[in-house]
Amino acid sequence: MQRQLYNLALSILALAAVLASPAQGQLKATDADGHPWWQQTVFYELYPRSFADSNNDGIGDVNGITAKLDYLKDLGVDAIWITPCFPSPQVDFGYDVSDYENIEPMYGSLQDFDRLLAAANKRGIRILLDFVANHTSNQHKWFQDSRSSRTSAHRDWYIWRDGKVPGQPPNNWTSTFGTPAWTFDPTTQQYYYHYFYPEQPDLNWRNPAVEAAMFDVTRFWYKRGVAGFRLDAVDSLFEDPNLTDNPFSAGMDTFDRPNMDEKYNQKLPEVHGVLRGLRKVADEYNAVLIGETYTSSIDELKHYYGDHSSELQLPMDMMFATVDRLSPAEFRKQIGSVNASGQWPVFLIGNHDMARSYNRYGDGIHDDAIAKLMAALYLTLRGSPILYYGEEIGMQNNDPKSREDVRDPQGKIGWPTEKGRDGERTPMQWTSDVNGGFSGSKPWLPVPSSASTHNVETESADPSSILNFYKRLLFLRHHEKALLEGEYIPLDESNPYVLSFLRRYQGEAVLVALNMSGTDRTVAFDPAPYGLTATKRVVLLTSGRTAIPSRDSTIKLQPFSAYIEKLTP
Ligand code: NOJ
């Protein structure tokens, strides 16, 4: 009963928050305490092909997104990152851009996009786009000109070289997508370089004209009202000008090729100069830059923030995103080190390039409980979280069943070891109707059968659903100062089953305890050593039937359950 009343109260408060959202043009650069907007923001990544289909052609579109803004607002989302929605032959589903300053006709028009911006702004939601800086589509007019002759105006906008000897590529580099990295172009009898598919030729960022044109692309969108970019594949922007062969490393990759140490074509120091330049432009518009930053250490991640915060405000912590098992020790290590770095962390547990978190962390039996547990982890940490669409309803991965069904070329090249990324990009599940209510016609990718239970409509009506758990969590995140700004203090650090921590803000704190095991666990928490004296303890949110702390301060946690309480003087 107490819980139901609590839920009801939260729903009323959430409604009040929607009604009280800022009117158009009132998006604030900082909050009352001077924190930049992006530190207070819950980001939501959506894949436009799969989010909402307004014209029933089986593919999502811009008007579909506009129609779902109230859903996003109600969920507690403050900003949306839309993966590439620019004109594209769709070889890599938008990551092969043929025009940076327009909208893919299949998704709508620039006018539709402007309407989306205005409607989002009205609700206090910001829009971010994806900046595909490393490469264009081979259909982009720059590349068309570049390949037309060795003396064309855009020849040096891409990376062209003679073969080592006739019939052999310039060096041993390979594409990360399972093909060679060099393609011979008969017209001019030279090879061009592409770190991704042959249809995605790499831009030559050593050419100042490329830099100027690409910086202007960001200005074009900032002027329209876009609040920032997620920067795609930043590590790949530069290559060794001498094209030195890469050394091989132990083992084979998923395409059955010897692993390569990409010393000469990844993470070259010149990348940081470009990031500083992009940041200068972003600062003119109070915009944010999120980085697709795959790193193997916190020191490496720190570089992307730049000296004196001169590069990315939000480089993603992919080490946290890929822990891939319910390991308190592993999470503690990752969270502890990013916090110790003094930077503002970016936490996520899934995206359009990795199997859905529901499957990566789920054990096949307690998947819903584990989905809530993971939400309670990354949405209560100090930092900016990025939700991947569908995570909030427990969407499952739906890998293709046969090679013929695969849409992502990577899956075709690597089948069956590498099935590609279709599984995590399936249509958003809105209702229990056929195709998850996504479209009136056959969607471009099939929805899994779990859509009949895991969808927005069904879960909205169920107080114990994953969706309602997300809503409550995000509500708390927006309203508890300790969750927004409090320092992170790890607790009980040798516990192999329960991950617990405090978020302490001035005299108060929020305590989070997460049972990552399949057995009941009891943890004790004494607030006194943390300067929290004469404390009043109130349960804010639990998943499972977790008991309120007893007199002796012990908390009983059901398997895979989350517990969140507030401590005030
Ligand atoms: C990273 C993106 O997330 C991925 O989806 C894309 O295929 C590559 N970059 C190439 O742009």
Side-chain angles (χ1 to χ4, degrees), residues 299-310:
D299 278 345
E300 215 187 306
L301 183 63
K302 264 173 83 172
H303 276 147
Y304 291 96
Y305 290 92
D307 292 339
H308 312 294
S309 190
S310 55

Side-chain angles (χ1 to χ4, degrees), residues 47 81 92 95-96 130 132 135 177 196-197 200 230 232-233 292 294 351-353 410 421 425:
Y47 206 66
W81 147 33
D92 193 13
Y95 282 98
D96 46 325
D130 212 311
V132 189
H135 48 269
F177 281 173
F196 297 97
Y197 297 126
Q200 296 167 297
R230 174 266 193 183
D232 183 60
E292 187 199 21
Y294 281 94
N351 69 20
H352 62 286
D353 293 330
Q410 223 186 84
R421 299 161 295 178
R425 299 171 173 182

Side-chain angles (χ1 to χ4, degrees), residues 3 9 101 171 181 216 224 263 306 349 389 434 515 547 556:
R3 174 119 177 256
E101 298 184 354
N171 67 10
D216 276 350
R224 286 198 113 79
K263 195 171 162 187
I349 55 171
Y389 83 96
V434 63
N515 181 1
K556 291 196 170 58

Side-chain angles (χ1 to χ4, degrees), residues 251-270:
M252 306 294 272
D253 70 12
T254 50
F255 300 102
D256 214 20
R257 306 172 300 186
N259 278 325
M260 189 169 262
D261 171 6
E262 297 176 315
K263 195 171 162 187
Y264 295 104
N265 61 338
Q266 287 292 292
K267 300 191 177 171
L268 267 63
E270 291 90 329

Side-chain angles (χ1 to χ4, degrees), residues 84-142:
C85 53
F86 318 105
S88 158
Q90 305 284 324
V91 172
D92 193 13
F93 299 110
Y95 282 98
D96 46 325
V97 179
S98 54
D99 178 358
Y100 286 98
E101 298 184 354
N102 214 328
I103 295 291
E104 161 63 42
M106 193 191 310
Y107 296 155
S109 62
L110 263 180
Q111 289 67 36
D112 293 331
F113 183 75
D114 288 342
R115 271 194 296 274
L116 166 65
L117 272 171
N121 195 283
K122 205 164 136 197
R123 290 163 177 80
I125 296 178
R126 288 176 160 94
I127 305 282
L128 279 78
L129 295 177
D130 212 311
F131 188 53
V132 189
N134 175 67
H135 48 269
T136 67
S137 158
N138 61 351
Q139 302 304 310
H140 195 291
K141 62 179 188 226
W142 299 339

